[in-house]
Structures are given as C-alpha cells and as structure tokens.
Amino acid sequence: MIRSLASAAPPPKASRQKKDALFELAARAAIAAEQARSGGVAAVEKAAKAESRRYLRTGLELVASGIDVEAIDLAFAAAQASAAASTAAGDGGPELELRLSLVAVKGIASGEHPYVLMRRMTARLGSEYFEKAESWILERIRRRRVRGDSLVVPGDMPDVVRSLALDKAGLERAIRTAGRDVTAAALAGCPQESVDLAKPLFGKIGGAVLEDDAAYLRSRLSGDEIAQAQSAFLDVVKGLEEGGDLVLGEADSVDEDPAFVAELTRSILGLDAATIKAALRASDGRLLAAAMQGMEPAAHNRILQALPNKDARRILDAIDEADPLPRGAVRSAGRQVASLLLAAAKAKKALKPALERLAAIRDWPD
Amino acid sequence: MIQWNADLARRLACREEEKRALAPLIRRLMELDRKARSSGFLSLEEELREADDPLLAVGLRLVMEGLSGEALEDILATYLLAEERSGWPFLKACVIVEGLIALAESDDPSFMARKLVAYYGADRALAVLEELERPEPATPAAGR
C-alpha cells in the first residue's frame, strides 16, 4: 500500500551545488543520530551547538528539549510557509533543505537507525545520490567496529536461531515475518553468536543495522520487554512451522562441543596481547573466522583487541562473510589456530600451563 | 486500499495496450518473491544486476538490506515522485513499488498478485489474475 504517495509532494528542485551541500548536511544529521543513540540528550545538544544550518540546528535544539515527534511539523509551520514561498518564486533550495531537516529531526527524535535515516534523507535529493549515500554508509561501517556486550536472557531463542540458521532462507523468513523491530529486540537478549548468524542475511548495511539496533535496544529495554520480544519471535517461528513454511533443523550439526569451546576460550584469555598479535596478525581471516565460531565472545574480544585495527577489521569482514560451519570444520580451524598460538607462546616463553592447554587443543580428538 | 488523490490517478492513465505489458512485470515480481522465499533475499543479487529500471534496482537493494514498512515506502515514494513519470512509466513504477513493498512484507506470490492486479482496474483484475495463476508461458526474458 503506497500510503505516502497520496500525501507527499514531489521534492522541490534545487541546484546540484545545493544538493551537494544538503548531502553534507544529511551526513552530519546521520552522525548526530548515531551520537544521539549512544550519548542521549547531551550528544544532541552538542550537535545542535556545532550545526551551522538554521533548520537542522533548531530541530536538534527541539529534540534536546524533549519535543514530541508529532509536534515537530507544527514547530516548523512558519518556516514551511516561508520555504514554500521561495519555491513558488523559483528557488526550491530552502524548501528542500527544510524537508530534509525535518526528516532528520524526526528520525533523531524517534531513535531511527542513522543509516536508514541517511537513506531517507538522501532520497529527497534524487536517485543520483543513492550510490553516494551507500558509499558513505559503507565507509562508516568500515570504520566502526565495535562488538557489543552480550546480555543473555534465559530462553530458547539462541538455540532456535542456531537451528534456523541451518537453512538460511528459513532464518531470513522468520526474521522478515517477525519484523526487524521485534527481531532486534529479541536478539538484544541473545549471545553475539545469534546476531552473527542473523546479520549476514541482510548484507553489510542491513546486517550492521540489525546488529546496532540489537545493541541499542539492549541498553533501552528491560529484561521483561526483551523476553516478550523473544516470545513473539518464537511464536512467529512456531506459526511458520505449523503452516509448513519452515522446518527447524537439528542444531547438533552446528552446535559446538562445549568442552572444546570452553578450553579454547580459556586458552586465549590466558594469553597476553603480544602473543596473540604475533600469532594471528598475519593469519588467514577465513581460518580465524571459522575458529572464532568455536569460541565464546570474550575470546573474540580478546583477539580483536590484541590485533591492530586494520587486521581486526579484516577478521571482522571475514566473520561477516562466513557461513555457520559444522562442528568438525570449526574444531579443525580451532586446532590450527591453537597451533599458531602455541608457536608464538613458545617463542615468547609463556608459562607451562598455557603451553599445555594450547597443545591439548591442537591435539583435540575428533 | 491504495490512497490515491486526483492528481496521482490522472497520472496513472495510459492506453489499454500499454496496460497489457503489466502482466509480464507482475509475473517477474512474483518470480522474485518465489526466489527470495526459496533461496533467501541475497539470492536476488543477480536480478539486481539485470534490473532495467533504476527504481527496481534501488528498491531491491533496500529490500535486500531488510528495509520494510514505513521507511521503505517513504523512500520509494520519494524516488517515484521525484522522477515525474506519468502515463505508462508511472503505472509501471507504481506496480514496481507496490510489488517491492509486498516482497519486503513477505507476502506470498499469489497475495502479491492480488494486490498488483488492482492496477488493471476492477473490470479486468480478475481475468488478469486468472491469467497470472496459469503456468508461466515459455518466455524466460518476459518483462525484462
């Protein structure tokens, strides 16, 4: 249902130069949206102070003052009349800027994801800015590499996600049917592994949005609200299964050997950053990504923090691109990584217990 | 269902022979839906490369990213209005947008078809629906 068509008007015409300037304004607004989600009112106030364009600055000030999203149009009523008059006089620039700023301000006030907001804003500039917006977003993703903390709400959700992930189309159907808002809220209470299984289904940008939204909601929703979202997600899965649209796989084939995961994790947490860096900075990203499927999130963080940013990004890219692997493949990768770590640990004269633990993993039986 | 205003309705007007070209387009959108449902949305990458309409290419990319609901509709409607199409190109664009929204909502192909045949008008919608639900004729490039 194309509801927006009936009420929307064509975007006013503006010069290329004005549109380029508005692209920059959209980028600043998207960054403000990002900061607002992590820094709250203080971040919005700071962005308002730094903003030179009147409409966006005023809008940010209104958001910082706690204005209701519904009241934003009303607050700009006089400005809308004046901008429309400019358009009638042949200059659509002010009206285009106002419309774009209103989209920005409403998005920031409602906590919309900055990349979705960037898409919305730049749509007003025409399809020729689509690729430019995409490049901008991808660059932000490339630079932003933060693995969120996990908050695990007890329940079946992680196991169900793992089972669904055996058939990617099945997991995707469940997520799309549940809706991204419900899914992000449900994933907010899952280990990072669940997010890692879901996000490749939506490409780099969509995956980053899902991961960010889950992290954002983790800090905003109560445990009960997250549990409700998980219950709603599981109801959707059940409904799809009963309707024959979905078949839950047997999780065992990707489920890791808990003893192996615990031991590999403990070994990595027991190593110093220099040893990890020496062993893994030049390692094959795909190998490490596969091995990381057999580690707990604490070990992921330990490795990524030990590596230089460039190498950490390379590994994270490989994780994004990796499919969930069967137990045997993960274990094999884990053994190879243990072997690399063991060589580095010996060279750094690590303590005997650390060496023994790594050797045990290297020789872990099938 | 669809909220039209008088100006938009006027822009939709086109010749009957032009309207006939809608069926292959609807078939193609239904095919995208089937493929997404069976192999996942990222499998639409190939269709994305072959998309001859910029609105379809942009919309598919957004749907693959997981965008849906009000945000998707807002973005696609904005592109649609910015292009100032009218007549057959506008009708085609409306069907593409409506189809992409249905795709993003995970409508099954037959439900999608029921939404899209409305663009034929009440007098022809049922006949076209019957035609669409018959097995596809052997023209793999139809609608492209």
Side-chain angles (χ1 to χ4, degrees):
Chain A
M1 193 191 306
I2 319 176
R3 283 170 295 236
S4 314
L5 269 183
S7 53
K13 293 196 184 326
S15 66
R16 181 81 197 190
Q17 194 182 12
K18 178 69 179 176
K19 284 186 175 182
D20 285 346
L22 290 180
F23 183 88
E24 296 305 320
L25 180 138
R28 293 198 301 279
I31 291 169
E34 199 170 83
Q35 291 165 343
R37 279 162 59 110
S38 56
V41 171
V44 180
E45 277 173 351
K46 195 174 165 193
K49 280 190 185 127
E51 180 53 48
S52 59
R53 301 301 296 174
R54 182 166 48 113
Y55 296 141
L56 183 56
R57 186 181 63 239
T58 307
L60 290 170
E61 285 166 355
L62 288 170
V63 175
S65 74
I67 191 172
D68 192 78
V69 179
E70 307 297 325
I72 290 172
D73 276 321
L74 194 60
F76 279 91
Q80 291 191 40
S82 151
S86 281
T87 303
D91 178 11
E95 190 176 3
L96 186 57
E97 179 173 345
L98 177 58
R99 284 200 202 175
L100 200 143
S101 302
L102 279 172
V103 171
V105 171
K106 287 178 193 171
I108 293 169
S110 58
E112 186 157 45
H113 193 285
Y115 304 156
V116 176
L117 188 54
M118 187 68 177
R119 290 287 204 204
R120 268 189 204 262
M121 290 186 289
T122 52
R124 268 79 193 163
L125 303 177
S127 53
E128 65 269 31
Y129 284 83
F130 184 87
E131 300 289 346
K132 192 173 176 186
E134 181 149 303
S135 301
W136 185 89
I137 292 169
L138 288 171
E139 178 58 21
R140 296 291 298 175
I141 292 173
R142 201 183 65 78
R143 279 201 258 158
R144 164 221 77 137
R145 283 301 195 185
V146 180
R147 304 283 279 174
D149 297 327
S150 289
L151 163 76
V152 181
V153 173
D156 295 334
M157 181 83 187
D159 289 341
V160 169
V161 170
R162 196 180 293 138
S163 300
L164 286 169
L166 290 172
D167 168 21
K168 283 182 178 181
L171 177 57
E172 186 176 21
R173 190 170 311 140
I175 291 174
R176 287 184 184 263
T177 307
R180 196 149 67 178
D181 291 347
V182 168
T183 304
L187 287 174
C190 288
Q192 182 66 34
E193 179 213 5
S194 306
V195 179
D196 287 343
L197 288 171
K199 65 179 193 172
L201 302 171
F202 299 93
K204 270 199 190 326
I205 296 178
V209 171
L210 185 65
E211 183 172 35
D212 286 353
D213 279 348
Y216 176 60
L217 292 173
R218 190 173 297 139
S219 65
R220 291 181 67 90
L221 298 179
S222 67
D224 279 351
E225 287 169 322
I226 291 174
Q228 274 175 20
Q230 293 191 343
S231 170
F233 185 89
L234 296 175
D235 283 347
V236 166
V237 172
K238 197 173 163 198
L240 289 170
E241 219 182 347
E242 284 171 358
D245 288 325
L246 203 62
V247 179
L248 274 180
E250 281 297 321
D252 283 353
S253 56
V254 289
D255 198 6
E256 271 315 310
D257 173 352
F260 181 80
V261 171
E263 200 56 24
L264 182 56
T265 300
R266 204 166 26 224
S267 306
I268 286 162
L269 294 180
L271 293 172
D272 60 71
T275 305
I276 294 173
K277 184 177 166 187
L280 302 180
R281 72 173 298 180
S283 64
D284 177 356
R286 282 172 302 181
L287 171 72
L288 194 46
M292 284 168 94
Q293 289 185 24
M295 297 173 199
E296 288 170 16
H300 292 195
N301 292 339
R302 187 55 176 263
I303 291 172
L304 293 170
Q305 282 162 10
L307 295 176
N309 285 343
K310 194 176 131 202
D311 294 307
R313 272 200 297 271
R314 181 173 59 80
I315 303 304
L316 283 162
D317 283 341
I319 292 173
D320 285 348
E321 282 157 18
D323 290 329
L325 294 169
R327 180 188 291 195
V330 173
R331 201 183 290 156
S332 164
R335 283 194 294 241
Q336 290 178 64
V337 167
S339 182
L340 293 172
L341 288 166
L342 181 60
K346 278 181 182 164
K348 299 257 179 206
K349 303 200 187 317
L351 295 175
K352 196 176 168 195
L355 298 175
E356 284 174 354
R357 197 175 283 144
L358 285 167
I361 293 165
R362 182 197 59 192
D363 302 331
W364 199 275
D366 282 323
Chain B
M1 210 186 87
I2 298 168
Q3 296 176 12
W4 294 98
N5 60 31
D7 175 52
L8 291 171
R10 263 195 302 275
R11 282 172 67 183
L12 267 184
C14 66
R15 295 197 306 274
E16 206 49 43
E17 59 265 31
E18 288 176 320
K19 265 193 187 178
R20 268 184 225 123
L22 274 186
L25 175 62
I26 296 174
R27 268 190 207 283
R28 186 179 178 198
L29 290 163
M30 290 167 71
E31 199 42 54
L32 290 176
D33 197 353
R34 277 190 204 100
K35 188 168 182 186
R37 292 170 75 81
S38 62
S39 310
F41 279 68
L42 293 184
S43 71
L44 302 181
E45 192 68 43
E46 193 184 329
E47 278 72 14
L48 185 64
R49 281 194 294 273
E50 290 175 3
D52 52 4
D53 188 301
L55 191 62
L56 179 60
V58 163
L60 263 184
R61 194 102 60 97
L62 296 173
V63 172
M64 286 162 68
E65 281 172 19
L67 215 57
S68 63
E70 194 269 328
L72 177 68
E73 201 180 295
D74 171 55
I75 293 171
L76 293 178
T78 302
Y79 282 130
L80 184 54
L81 289 171
E83 288 181 6
E84 296 181 345
R85 304 186 195 201
S86 65
W88 161 244
F90 186 62
L91 177 62
K92 183 183 168 195
C94 286
V95 170
I96 288 173
V97 170
E98 192 94 63
L100 288 167
I101 292 169
L103 184 65
E105 298 299 329
S106 295
D107 287 348
D108 72 47
S110 68
F111 190 42
M112 175 194 271
R114 277 160 177 74
K115 287 181 173 176
L116 301 186
V117 293
Y119 284 87
Y120 275 95
D123 52 334
R124 298 221 24 227
L126 276 178
V128 175
L129 190 59
E130 278 176 20
E131 185 192 322
L132 288 169
E133 288 183 340
R134 276 199 295 270
E136 195 175 351
T139 47
R144 296 203 173 161

